[in-house]
Amino acid sequence: MAEGMNDLTKHVVDLRRHMWLDGVEVELRRLIWQIAVVGKYISARIHESNRKLAGFKNIYGEEQLALDRISDEILKNKLQHSGFVSQYASEERDDIVTIGKGTESYIVTADPLDGSSLVDTNLAIGTIIGIHKKSLFDCGRNSMVAALYITYGPLITMIYSAGKGAHEFVLDREGEYVLSEENIRLKGKGSIFSPGGLRKDWTDNHLKFIDALERDGYKLRYSGGFVPDINQVIIKRGGLFTYPALKESPQGKLRLLFELQPMAFIIEQAGGMATDGKTDILSLEITTVNQRSPIYIGSAAEVKMAGEFLNQ
Ligand code: F6P
């Protein structure tokens, strides 16, 4: 628990106060706060949307909900006016956008509304943010200073890490993000697994690994939304999410900058691991904005076990 807090006051600690206690530098604190506020606007738009499809495709050929575009615009505009962000890279845009004067300290990556195709089913979806201090074309370990994600489900929750643990906040009825868990720590080993991709497309070694998890009694928990699937690993204190290399797509499906690096940053801060089967996600060099990678992320035992199967 951060200095100055005790059990009695813990439940009323809001995000701003927590970041101040957490020692997050002023500009970064303001930036994280502003992004968290955008989450409230996005959630309002989700409620208003009534599940309407926009009928156009994004650069990956996926059908987009208008909500994706709206969320991206809201986020970009807010960041543009923050005065802290020089560049904005979004999964919804082809290129990195310069939104500052060039003197600002941070570069922000966003998947503004991940899993938006789940809106019609009323499953949870989310926003994923990475905050970098240097160029994006480096490895996350050198460039990232913070990451956060917001879940839009029965509750709106936000987990952030600025490099000193991972902390969860829940949006309360007054519209405040209130601390619900501080310094979340995963156990060394969990009991759930979320395997992406089709079994017929998996490599032999990945298939053997998943079979071993099933034999060990791991329970299948896959929603099709990266944010809630990672969130359950964190909140249940362990387990594994994977979207592996596929026979026809050796780099898997998920994008390093927008999805994998931020989640790897948070999971590592919660005591877990994230690799591509061999190398830590945060040690992978980024060379293109749309770079993808296989991922094994969660508690240490399962991620290490994946490495053993994949590298035999
Ligand atoms: O990247 C978009 C996404 O919807 C993720 O949120 C999710 O983990 C993954 O794709 C699901 O992919 P699939 O539909 O192949 O299971």
Side-chain angles (χ1 to χ4, degrees), residues 16 19 24-37 78 82 84 106:
R16 269 192 273 207
M19 283 191 287
V24 179
E25 62 184 70
V26 179
E27 286 201 348
L28 185 55
R29 200 189 308 161
R30 291 198 179 136
L31 178 58
I32 293 172
W33 172 254
Q34 293 194 3
I35 294 169
V37 169
K78 187 77 175 171
S82 71
F84 307 128
Y106 303 107

Side-chain angles (χ1 to χ4, degrees), residues 51-58 62-67:
R51 312 191 288 194
K52 295 242 162 56
L53 282 171
F56 46 71
K57 302 201 166 185
N58 72 6
E62 296 162 341
E63 191 158 67
Q64 268 188 309
L65 290 174
L67 274 175

Side-chain angles (χ1 to χ4, degrees), residues 143-189:
S143 67
M144 289 190 82
V145 289
L148 66 97
Y149 67 82
I150 300 167
T151 60
Y152 311 101
L155 294 174
I156 294 174
T157 68
M158 199 274 296
I159 291 192
Y160 89 90
S161 175
K164 285 193 210 149
H167 319 288
E168 190 205 39
F169 292 77
V170 178
L171 198 65
D172 72 6
R173 282 209 253 174
E174 280 73 47
E176 282 293 338
Y177 282 101
V178 172
L179 181 63
S180 66
E181 300 246 23
E182 192 183 32
N183 286 319
I184 298 174
R185 298 299 292 172
L186 301 190
K187 293 185 195 139
K189 190 173 185 292

Side-chain angles (χ1 to χ4, degrees), residues 206 209 242-245 273-281 284 293-297 302-312:
H206 180 77
F209 167 56
T242 169
Y243 211 110
M273 287 178 67
T275 73
D276 65 355
K278 201 173 189 174
T279 307
D280 288 346
I281 291 293
L284 296 173
S293 167
I295 186 160
Y296 296 83
I297 179 168
E302 292 83 353
V303 177
K304 284 184 187 153
M305 183 176 161
E308 283 156 20
F309 273 89
L310 294 174
N311 299 303
Q312 42 181 265

